Amino acid sequence: MSVSRIYRLLRLITMLQTGRTYTADELARQLEVSRRTIFRDLNMLEMAHIPYYFDQEKGGYQISGHFFLPPVNLTVSEALAILMLTHRIKGAASRLPLLAESSRAAMKLENVLPQAIRRHVGSMIKKLSVSFGPVSRHEGVDDMFNELVGAIVRRRICRLVYLSFQLRRQLIVSVRPLRLVFLGRAWYLIAYAVKPRDIRTFKLGRIRKLTVTDRTFQQPTDVDLDEYFGDAWSMIPEGRRYDVHLHFEPKVAGNVAEVQWHHSQRVEWNDDGSIEFYVHVDGLGEITWWVLGYGDQVEIISPAAFRTRVANVAAAVLKKYRKGRK
Protein backbone atom coordinates (compact mmCIF):
# COMPACT_ATOMS: atom_id res chain seq x y z
CA MET A 1 0.00 0.00 0.00
CA SER A 2 1.38 3.40 -0.99
CA VAL A 3 2.26 6.07 1.55
CA SER A 4 -0.26 8.45 -0.06
CA ARG A 5 -3.08 5.96 0.45
CA ILE A 6 -2.09 5.30 4.07
CA TYR A 7 -2.08 9.05 4.67
CA ARG A 8 -5.52 9.38 3.00
CA LEU A 9 -6.98 6.53 5.09
CA LEU A 10 -5.71 8.17 8.26
CA ARG A 11 -7.29 11.46 7.22
CA LEU A 12 -10.52 9.62 6.39
CA ILE A 13 -10.60 7.97 9.83
CA THR A 14 -9.90 11.32 11.52
CA MET A 15 -12.74 13.01 9.63
CA LEU A 16 -15.26 10.25 10.35
CA GLN A 17 -14.56 10.20 14.08
CA THR A 18 -15.08 13.95 14.60
CA GLY A 19 -18.76 13.41 15.39
CA ARG A 20 -20.17 15.05 12.26
CA THR A 21 -21.40 13.14 9.21
CA TYR A 22 -19.94 13.37 5.70
CA THR A 23 -21.55 12.42 2.41
CA ALA A 24 -19.48 10.53 -0.16
CA ASP A 25 -19.23 13.72 -2.24
CA GLU A 26 -17.99 15.74 0.74
CA LEU A 27 -15.36 13.12 1.54
CA ALA A 28 -14.24 13.06 -2.08
CA ARG A 29 -13.85 16.85 -2.17
CA GLN A 30 -12.01 17.02 1.14
CA LEU A 31 -9.60 14.23 0.19
CA GLU A 32 -9.38 15.31 -3.47
CA VAL A 33 -10.27 11.90 -4.91
CA SER A 34 -13.18 10.39 -6.81
CA ARG A 35 -16.34 8.92 -5.26
CA ARG A 36 -15.19 5.49 -6.46
CA THR A 37 -11.93 5.89 -4.50
CA ILE A 38 -13.89 6.90 -1.39
CA PHE A 39 -15.98 3.74 -1.60
CA ARG A 40 -12.81 1.65 -2.02
CA ASP A 41 -11.34 3.34 1.06
CA LEU A 42 -14.53 2.74 3.05
CA ASN A 43 -14.34 -0.91 2.05
CA MET A 44 -10.76 -0.99 3.38
CA LEU A 45 -12.01 0.36 6.73
CA GLU A 46 -14.66 -2.37 6.83
CA MET A 47 -12.01 -5.05 6.20
CA ALA A 48 -10.02 -3.59 9.11
CA HIS A 49 -13.12 -3.89 11.36
CA ILE A 50 -13.31 -0.13 11.88
CA PRO A 51 -17.04 0.43 12.59
CA TYR A 52 -18.07 3.25 10.29
CA TYR A 53 -21.75 3.45 9.40
CA PHE A 54 -24.17 5.43 7.24
CA ASP A 55 -26.56 7.58 9.29
CA GLN A 56 -29.87 7.46 7.41
CA GLU A 57 -31.32 10.51 9.16
CA LYS A 58 -28.29 12.75 8.59
CA GLY A 59 -27.45 11.27 5.21
CA GLY A 60 -23.75 10.73 5.82
CA TYR A 61 -20.97 8.52 7.12
CA GLN A 62 -19.28 8.52 10.53
CA ILE A 63 -17.41 6.21 12.90
CA SER A 64 -19.01 4.96 16.09
CA GLY A 65 -17.91 7.16 18.97
CA HIS A 66 -17.32 4.07 21.12
CA PHE A 67 -14.57 2.65 18.91
CA PHE A 68 -11.72 5.05 19.62
CA LEU A 69 -11.36 6.34 23.15
CA PRO A 70 -9.36 9.47 24.04
CA PRO A 71 -5.83 8.84 25.38
CA VAL A 72 -5.49 8.65 29.15
CA ASN A 73 -2.31 9.67 30.95
CA LEU A 74 -1.68 7.03 33.62
CA THR A 75 1.00 7.03 36.27
CA VAL A 76 3.17 3.93 36.70
CA SER A 77 1.21 3.03 39.86
CA GLU A 78 -2.14 3.38 38.05
CA ALA A 79 -0.95 1.22 35.15
CA LEU A 80 0.42 -1.35 37.60
CA ALA A 81 -2.89 -1.49 39.49
CA ILE A 82 -4.93 -2.09 36.31
CA LEU A 83 -2.59 -4.74 34.94
CA MET A 84 -2.28 -6.52 38.27
CA LEU A 85 -6.03 -6.70 38.83
CA THR A 86 -6.56 -8.19 35.37
CA HIS A 87 -3.48 -10.35 34.80
CA ARG A 88 -2.89 -11.77 38.27
CA ILE A 89 -6.36 -12.77 39.44
CA LYS A 90 -6.35 -16.49 40.17
CA GLY A 91 -8.96 -19.20 40.49
CA ALA A 92 -12.63 -19.15 39.55
CA ALA A 93 -12.84 -15.36 39.95
CA SER A 94 -10.82 -14.95 36.74
CA ARG A 95 -13.84 -16.29 34.81
CA LEU A 96 -16.34 -13.77 36.18
CA PRO A 97 -18.23 -11.61 33.65
CA LEU A 98 -16.34 -8.38 32.82
CA LEU A 99 -12.95 -9.82 33.83
CA ALA A 100 -12.38 -11.36 30.38
CA GLU A 101 -12.99 -7.94 28.82
CA SER A 102 -10.76 -6.28 31.41
CA SER A 103 -7.94 -8.66 30.51
CA ARG A 104 -8.21 -7.70 26.84
CA ALA A 105 -8.26 -4.02 27.81
CA ALA A 106 -5.15 -4.54 29.94
CA MET A 107 -3.34 -6.12 26.98
CA LYS A 108 -4.11 -3.02 24.90
CA LEU A 109 -2.87 -0.80 27.71
CA GLU A 110 0.31 -2.83 28.08
CA ASN A 111 1.03 -2.58 24.34
CA VAL A 112 0.99 1.24 24.37
CA LEU A 113 3.16 1.68 27.47
CA PRO A 114 6.69 2.95 26.84
CA GLN A 115 9.11 0.03 26.72
CA ALA A 116 11.00 1.05 29.86
CA ILE A 117 7.78 1.39 31.89
CA ARG A 118 6.45 -1.88 30.43
CA ARG A 119 9.56 -3.73 31.64
CA HIS A 120 9.33 -2.09 35.07
CA VAL A 121 5.63 -2.88 35.48
CA GLY A 122 6.13 -6.41 34.14
CA SER A 123 8.84 -7.19 36.68
CA MET A 124 6.62 -5.93 39.53
CA ILE A 125 3.53 -7.86 38.38
CA LYS A 126 5.45 -11.15 38.62
CA LYS A 127 5.80 -10.54 42.36
CA LEU A 128 2.11 -9.77 42.95
CA SER A 129 -1.10 -11.78 42.82
CA VAL A 130 -4.76 -11.34 43.74
CA SER A 131 -6.90 -14.19 45.04
CA PHE A 132 -10.61 -13.81 45.74
CA GLY A 133 -12.50 -16.02 48.14
CA PRO A 134 -14.65 -18.86 46.78
CA VAL A 135 -16.98 -17.68 43.99
CA SER A 136 -19.88 -19.33 42.20
CA ARG A 137 -19.46 -20.87 38.77
CA HIS A 138 -20.20 -18.38 35.99
CA GLU A 139 -19.37 -20.44 32.92
CA GLY A 140 -21.51 -19.50 29.93
CA VAL A 141 -23.14 -16.38 31.43
CA ASP A 142 -21.01 -13.71 29.70
CA ASP A 143 -23.45 -13.28 26.79
CA MET A 144 -26.38 -13.28 29.22
CA PHE A 145 -24.63 -10.64 31.33
CA ASN A 146 -24.20 -8.37 28.30
CA GLU A 147 -27.82 -8.92 27.23
CA LEU A 148 -29.04 -7.96 30.70
CA VAL A 149 -26.91 -4.82 30.70
CA GLY A 150 -28.55 -3.82 27.42
CA ALA A 151 -32.01 -4.67 28.71
CA ILE A 152 -31.49 -2.54 31.83
CA VAL A 153 -30.28 0.43 29.80
CA ARG A 154 -33.09 0.14 27.22
CA ARG A 155 -35.70 -0.79 29.87
CA ARG A 156 -36.80 -3.97 28.13
CA ILE A 157 -39.00 -6.54 29.86
CA CYS A 158 -37.29 -9.94 30.08
CA ARG A 159 -38.58 -13.47 30.42
CA LEU A 160 -36.51 -15.81 32.58
CA VAL A 161 -36.45 -19.56 32.96
CA TYR A 162 -35.05 -19.68 36.49
CA LEU A 163 -33.97 -22.58 38.71
CA SER A 164 -35.32 -21.93 42.21
CA PHE A 165 -33.47 -23.92 44.88
CA GLN A 166 -36.10 -22.86 47.42
CA LEU A 167 -39.02 -24.22 45.38
CA ARG A 168 -36.95 -27.05 43.84
CA ARG A 169 -38.22 -26.40 40.34
CA GLN A 170 -37.81 -24.16 37.33
CA LEU A 171 -39.88 -20.99 37.13
CA ILE A 172 -40.90 -18.96 34.10
CA VAL A 173 -41.16 -15.34 35.17
CA SER A 174 -41.40 -11.98 33.40
CA VAL A 175 -39.29 -9.25 35.00
CA ARG A 176 -38.33 -5.62 34.64
CA PRO A 177 -34.52 -5.69 35.07
CA LEU A 178 -33.23 -2.87 37.26
CA ARG A 179 -29.63 -3.56 38.30
CA LEU A 180 -26.80 -6.09 38.23
CA VAL A 181 -24.82 -6.41 41.45
CA PHE A 182 -21.91 -8.61 42.56
CA LEU A 183 -22.39 -9.75 46.16
CA GLY A 184 -20.06 -12.06 48.03
CA ARG A 185 -19.59 -14.87 45.54
CA ALA A 186 -21.81 -14.20 42.54
CA TRP A 187 -23.53 -11.79 40.17
CA TYR A 188 -27.22 -11.15 40.85
CA LEU A 189 -29.99 -9.44 38.93
CA ILE A 190 -32.32 -7.15 40.90
CA ALA A 191 -35.60 -7.02 39.02
CA TYR A 192 -39.27 -6.25 39.47
CA ALA A 193 -41.21 -9.49 38.97
CA VAL A 194 -44.52 -8.93 37.19
CA LYS A 195 -46.13 -11.89 39.02
CA PRO A 196 -45.95 -11.70 41.98
CA ARG A 197 -45.60 -7.91 41.93
CA ASP A 198 -42.45 -7.54 43.96
CA ILE A 199 -38.73 -6.76 43.75
CA ARG A 200 -36.79 -10.01 43.53
CA THR A 201 -33.14 -11.07 43.31
CA PHE A 202 -32.05 -13.65 40.71
CA LYS A 203 -28.66 -15.35 40.68
CA LEU A 204 -27.24 -15.23 37.15
CA GLY A 205 -25.86 -18.76 37.37
CA ARG A 206 -29.38 -20.13 37.92
CA ILE A 207 -30.98 -18.39 34.92
CA ARG A 208 -31.43 -21.24 32.45
CA LYS A 209 -32.78 -19.10 29.62
CA LEU A 210 -33.08 -15.36 29.02
CA THR A 211 -35.37 -13.73 26.47
CA VAL A 212 -35.20 -9.96 26.04
CA THR A 213 -38.54 -8.78 24.64
CA ASP A 214 -39.40 -5.66 22.65
CA ARG A 215 -41.75 -4.47 25.41
CA THR A 216 -40.50 -1.53 27.45
CA PHE A 217 -41.28 -0.40 31.00
CA GLN A 218 -41.12 2.77 33.06
CA GLN A 219 -38.36 3.05 35.64
CA PRO A 220 -39.98 2.71 39.11
CA THR A 221 -39.74 5.84 41.23
CA ASP A 222 -40.59 4.20 44.56
CA VAL A 223 -37.56 1.86 44.67
CA ASP A 224 -34.21 3.01 46.06
CA LEU A 225 -31.81 0.41 44.67
CA ASP A 226 -28.91 1.83 46.68
CA GLU A 227 -30.86 0.98 49.83
CA TYR A 228 -32.43 -2.22 48.51
CA PHE A 229 -30.50 -4.56 50.84
CA GLY A 230 -30.95 -2.18 53.75
CA ASP A 231 -29.67 -3.56 57.05
CA ALA A 232 -29.52 -7.18 55.88
CA TRP A 233 -26.43 -8.99 57.08
CA SER A 234 -25.61 -9.80 53.46
CA MET A 235 -28.41 -9.63 50.88
CA ILE A 236 -31.66 -11.03 52.35
CA PRO A 237 -33.62 -8.55 54.50
CA GLU A 238 -36.38 -10.29 56.48
CA GLY A 239 -38.45 -7.29 57.51
CA ARG A 240 -37.56 -7.31 61.21
CA ARG A 241 -34.54 -5.59 62.76
CA TYR A 242 -32.53 -6.75 65.76
CA ASP A 243 -29.87 -5.18 67.95
CA VAL A 244 -27.35 -8.00 68.20
CA HIS A 245 -24.63 -8.20 70.89
CA LEU A 246 -21.93 -10.87 70.53
CA HIS A 247 -18.95 -11.69 72.75
CA PHE A 248 -15.85 -13.05 70.95
CA GLU A 249 -13.02 -14.79 72.81
CA PRO A 250 -9.42 -13.48 72.48
CA LYS A 251 -8.44 -16.29 70.09
CA VAL A 252 -10.61 -14.88 67.27
CA ALA A 253 -11.28 -11.33 68.50
CA GLY A 254 -8.55 -9.71 66.40
CA ASN A 255 -9.66 -11.47 63.22
CA VAL A 256 -13.26 -10.37 63.77
CA ALA A 257 -12.45 -6.80 64.72
CA GLU A 258 -10.21 -6.07 61.72
CA VAL A 259 -12.99 -6.75 59.18
CA GLN A 260 -15.93 -4.44 58.44
CA TRP A 261 -18.63 -7.13 58.37
CA HIS A 262 -21.61 -4.75 58.43
CA HIS A 263 -22.07 -1.01 58.02
CA SER A 264 -23.60 -0.69 61.50
CA GLN A 265 -21.03 -2.70 63.48
CA ARG A 266 -19.37 -1.36 66.61
CA VAL A 267 -16.56 -3.08 68.53
CA GLU A 268 -15.42 -2.63 72.13
CA TRP A 269 -12.20 -4.23 73.38
CA ASN A 270 -11.96 -5.87 76.82
CA ASP A 271 -8.80 -5.98 78.96
CA ASP A 272 -8.37 -9.74 78.36
CA GLY A 273 -8.26 -9.31 74.56
CA SER A 274 -11.84 -10.34 73.93
CA ILE A 275 -14.33 -8.03 72.22
CA GLU A 276 -17.98 -7.04 72.44
CA PHE A 277 -19.45 -6.88 68.94
CA TYR A 278 -22.62 -4.84 68.28
CA VAL A 279 -24.64 -4.71 65.07
CA HIS A 280 -28.13 -3.58 63.99
CA VAL A 281 -29.28 -6.13 61.45
CA ASP A 282 -32.43 -6.91 59.45
CA GLY A 283 -33.14 -10.62 59.93
CA LEU A 284 -31.29 -13.37 61.77
CA GLY A 285 -31.08 -15.97 59.02
CA GLU A 286 -27.81 -14.93 57.38
CA ILE A 287 -25.98 -13.87 60.52
CA THR A 288 -26.87 -17.19 62.20
CA TRP A 289 -24.59 -19.16 59.87
CA TRP A 290 -21.80 -16.61 60.30
CA VAL A 291 -21.95 -16.91 64.09
CA LEU A 292 -22.01 -20.72 63.94
CA GLY A 293 -18.78 -20.60 61.95
CA TYR A 294 -16.95 -19.35 65.07
CA GLY A 295 -18.10 -22.32 67.16
CA ASP A 296 -17.33 -22.03 70.88
CA GLN A 297 -15.32 -18.81 70.40
CA VAL A 298 -18.45 -16.64 70.33
CA GLU A 299 -21.46 -16.21 72.61
CA ILE A 300 -24.70 -14.43 71.75
CA ILE A 301 -25.50 -12.01 74.57
CA SER A 302 -28.70 -10.67 73.00
CA PRO A 303 -31.37 -10.87 71.74
CA ALA A 304 -32.80 -13.94 73.45
CA ALA A 305 -34.48 -15.08 70.22
CA PHE A 306 -31.06 -15.25 68.56
CA ARG A 307 -29.61 -17.31 71.43
CA THR A 308 -32.51 -19.75 71.17
CA ARG A 309 -32.18 -20.02 67.38
CA VAL A 310 -28.46 -20.85 67.48
CA ALA A 311 -28.89 -23.18 70.47
CA ASN A 312 -31.49 -25.19 68.53
CA VAL A 313 -29.18 -25.51 65.53
CA ALA A 314 -26.27 -26.53 67.76
CA ALA A 315 -28.48 -29.14 69.49
CA ALA A 316 -29.47 -30.58 66.12
CA VAL A 317 -25.81 -30.78 65.08
CA LEU A 318 -24.89 -32.50 68.35
CA LYS A 319 -27.72 -34.99 67.94
CA LYS A 320 -26.59 -35.83 64.42
CA TYR A 321 -23.01 -36.55 65.47
CA ARG A 322 -23.99 -38.48 68.57
CA LYS A 323 -25.99 -40.90 66.43
CA GLY A 324 -23.00 -41.64 64.25
CA ARG A 325 -23.17 -43.01 60.70
CA LYS A 326 -24.60 -46.40 59.82
Side-chain angles (χ1 to χ4, degrees):
M1 185 183 296
S2 66
V3 174
S4 61
R5 188 176 188 191
I6 293 174
Y7 174 70
R8 189 176 68 248
L9 287 172
L10 289 174
R11 282 190 62 196
L12 176 60
I13 291 171
T14 301
M15 292 172 63
L16 293 180
Q17 71 173 127
T18 59
R20 63 159 290 188
T21 56
Y22 289 88
T23 66
D25 288 334
E26 289 172 333
L27 291 171
R29 283 196 301 271
Q30 290 278 345
L31 299 175
E32 299 179 343
V33 294
S34 66
R35 281 170 53 91
R36 177 177 293 183
T37 298
I38 289 298
F39 289 128
R40 283 201 298 264
D41 288 348
L42 289 172
N43 185 56
M44 181 68 71
L45 297 188
E46 184 175 357
M47 292 172 61
H49 303 290
I50 296 176
Y52 79 88
Y53 65 97
F54 184 80
D55 190 315
Q56 296 286 351
E57 292 184 0
K58 298 180 180 179
Y61 295 92
Q62 64 181 150
I63 288 177
S64 170
H66 299 292
F67 185 64
F68 294 104
L69 295 177
V72 178
N73 295 320
L74 298 177
T75 66
V76 174
S77 296
E78 291 168 342
L80 174 64
I82 293 173
L83 294 175
M84 184 191 73
L85 288 173
T86 53
H87 282 335
R88 304 294 289 172
I89 292 175
K90 296 182 177 180
S94 62
R95 296 186 292 274
L96 290 172
L98 292 186
L99 282 183
E101 288 82 355
S102 67
S103 294
R104 288 194 291 269
M107 289 178 61
K108 294 179 181 179
L109 170 62
E110 190 172 2
N111 289 335
V112 300
L113 288 175
Q115 187 174 4
I117 295 179
R118 191 188 313 169
R119 284 199 301 266
H120 176 65
V121 170
S123 64
M124 293 182 68
I125 285 178
K126 292 178 182 178
K127 299 175 176 63
L128 301 170
S129 64
V130 178
S131 181
F132 284 84
V135 298
S136 298
R137 292 190 297 269
H138 287 80
E139 290 84 352
V141 303
D142 294 77
D143 291 341
M144 180 191 304
F145 184 92
N146 293 330
E147 285 188 78
L148 284 170
V149 170
I152 291 171
V153 172
R154 298 194 304 271
R155 298 178 184 175
R156 296 289 179 88
I157 293 177
C158 297
R159 187 164 58 252
L160 310 180
V161 177
Y162 186 74
L163 177 60
S164 172
F165 284 177
Q166 183 178 6
L167 299 178
R168 298 184 181 180
R169 62 185 178 90
Q170 287 190 353
L171 306 175
I172 300 177
V173 56
S174 292
V175 301
R176 301 171 183 174
L178 303 176
R179 178 173 292 189
L180 286 164
V181 56
F182 186 85
L183 278 174
R185 298 184 177 89
W187 278 102
Y188 294 86
L189 169 68
I190 302 176
Y192 182 86
V194 178
K195 291 181 181 180
R197 296 180 178 275
D198 195 9
I199 301 292
R200 295 294 176 92
T201 305
F202 301 90
K203 191 174 185 178
L204 259 61
R206 297 181 197 156
I207 299 177
R208 294 294 179 257
K209 184 178 179 181
L210 166 69
T211 303
V212 180
T213 73
D214 294 329
R215 293 179 295 155
T216 60
F217 63 91
Q218 293 295 321
Q219 189 76 12
T221 57
D222 58 343
V223 178
D224 186 349
L225 293 177
D226 292 327
E227 299 294 331
Y228 175 68
F229 296 108
D231 291 327
W233 178 252
S234 178
M235 59 174 293
I236 306 177
E238 298 176 8
R240 183 177 177 182
R241 288 170 170 77
Y242 298 85
D243 288 313
V244 173
H245 175 192
L246 307 173
H247 173 82
F248 285 93
E249 298 295 334
K251 184 177 181 179
V252 299
N255 301 87
V256 174
E258 68 184 1
V259 177
Q260 185 70 37
W261 300 97
H262 194 265
H263 63 84
S264 70
Q265 82 179 47
R266 180 170 57 87
V267 173
E268 293 179 358
W269 285 90
N270 299 314
D271 293 339
D272 63 354
S274 64
I275 62 170
E276 308 304 319
F277 183 94
Y278 302 91
V279 67
H280 182 73
V281 65
D282 185 344
L284 297 176
E286 293 175 319
I287 194 174
T288 292
W289 303 110
W290 179 74
V291 167
L292 285 166
Y294 285 97
D296 64 349
Q297 296 300 302
V298 60
E299 180 183 0
I300 299 167
I301 307 302
S302 65
F306 195 11
R307 286 180 64 91
T308 301
R309 183 187 186 112
V310 170
N312 289 339
V313 174
V317 171
L318 184 61
K319 180 179 179 181
K320 179 174 292 188
Y321 280 92
R322 278 179 172 169
K323 287 196 310 183
R325 292 186 65 85
K326 295 181 180 179

